[in-house]
Amino acid sequence: MNSRDDTLIELFLDAAWAEKGLSANTLGSYRYDLRSLAAELGDEGYALDVAPGGVHIRAPWSAGLFYGVQTLRAMENFAISGVFVKNFEHMIEALAFVKKAAAQANHALGVMDKEKMQAICKACDELLAGKLHDHFVVDMFQGGAGTSTNMNANEVIATRAEQILEGKALAVHPNDHVNFGQSSNDVIPTAIYLAARVGLEEDLLPALERLREVLDQKAQEFDQVLKSGRTHLMDAAPVRMGQEFGGYARQVELGIQRVRRGDE
């Protein structure tokens, strides 16, 4: 930890003492925790940004990491299944849709400047194009109504947006900008609905259509093959195997219709 970080920590603690009236014991403990965290993360190349009102830790761009301290905490606290958000591309795409729409709405309402909005939208477009998905490293199983997933998205988008704005001295904060006007309680359910919708259109329905086509083909191929029909565990009247496969194809077709009705 360099001298600048040390000075910033002292300034932050002085502000906390003055504004919140922290006890000497609490202040001393907080100073130790903050110094320890800064030293530990500094060894890994993370940057510490301390200011009155909060501490923000961001991975350096040169390290190729786009997530921040909230994601790191989630990785430690919810190391449960080993199945990560990055394995669910439609969920990441849905989060990008939500964050992009929120940035556009905030700009339209006059609470976000145009350059930040455009940078956030561009970062979201990159997620929609399949980029940066490897940085969604929190476990899919977690507490807190998906807060860790939301913050993982906020941090990745904020870091990429800052890269896009490099040289313009416009910081993009995960909470203050990317998550502005939002809560995990609305972001995550909305993203789940969107991800399910995209999954139906891009994955489930095409797979069902292909299955129906193959079953139809087999129904024609096996149409001249006679076999015993089966009623529970007893032999029944003979049927053509093509009839059986035609029935399978029809069942899948009806399933496709039900999915489409539920998707309307």
Side-chain angles (χ1 to χ4, degrees), residues 78-131:
F78 303 116
I80 297 172
S81 70
V83 179
F84 306 111
V85 175
K86 65 182 178 182
N87 300 123
F88 300 87
E89 60 176 348
H90 294 323
M91 186 64 183
I92 297 174
E93 292 166 355
L95 287 164
F97 279 127
V98 172
K99 299 301 176 179
K100 182 176 180 178
Q104 292 172 333
N106 287 328
H107 173 65
L109 291 169
V111 293
M112 180 179 292
D113 64 67
K114 184 177 181 179
E115 287 186 298
K116 282 193 180 74
M117 180 272 292
Q118 289 177 333
I120 290 172
C121 289
K122 186 172 182 179
C124 290
D125 286 340
E126 292 185 5
L127 292 178
L128 293 170
K131 299 179 180 179

Side-chain angles (χ1 to χ4, degrees), residues 27-180:
L27 188 63
S29 174
Y30 195 29
R31 178 183 284 110
Y32 173 78
D33 291 341
L34 198 55
R35 288 181 187 280
S36 299
L37 182 61
E40 180 181 347
L41 293 177
D43 290 340
E44 298 179 12
Y46 287 79
L48 175 67
D49 180 16
V50 188
V55 181
H56 181 52
I57 300 172
R58 182 77 61 81
W61 300 342
S62 59
L65 300 175
F66 285 77
Y67 51 81
V69 67
Q70 299 295 335
T71 301
L72 287 168
R73 288 169 178 160
M75 292 167 66
E76 180 178 355
N77 293 333
F78 303 116
I80 297 172
S81 70
V83 179
F84 306 111
V85 175
K86 65 182 178 182
N87 300 123
F88 300 87
E89 60 176 348
H90 294 323
M91 186 64 183
I92 297 174
E93 292 166 355
L95 287 164
F97 279 127
V98 172
K99 299 301 176 179
K100 182 176 180 178
Q104 292 172 333
N106 287 328
H107 173 65
L109 291 169
V111 293
M112 180 179 292
D113 64 67
K114 184 177 181 179
E115 287 186 298
K116 282 193 180 74
M117 180 272 292
Q118 289 177 333
I120 290 172
C121 289
K122 186 172 182 179
C124 290
D125 286 340
E126 292 185 5
L127 292 178
L128 293 170
K131 299 179 180 179
L132 304 177
H133 286 202
D134 285 343
H135 299 275
F136 285 76
V137 292
V138 298
D139 199 291
M140 279 299 292
F141 295 90
Q142 57 195 252
T147 299
S148 298
T149 299
N150 186 29
M151 285 307 303
N152 194 166
N154 292 332
E155 290 177 338
V156 170
I157 293 169
T159 302
R160 179 61 188 130
E162 276 203 351
Q163 282 188 340
I164 293 168
L165 291 172
E166 187 175 6
K168 296 185 178 181
L170 292 173
V172 180
H173 193 279
N175 252 335
D176 295 344
H177 302 119
V178 181
N179 200 52
F180 187 84

Side-chain angles (χ1 to χ4, degrees), residues 249-261:
R250 178 58 177 165
Q251 287 282 8
V252 174
E253 182 180 352
L254 293 173
I256 291 171
Q257 293 175 9
R258 287 193 292 271
V259 171
R260 292 197 183 280
R261 284 199 301 270

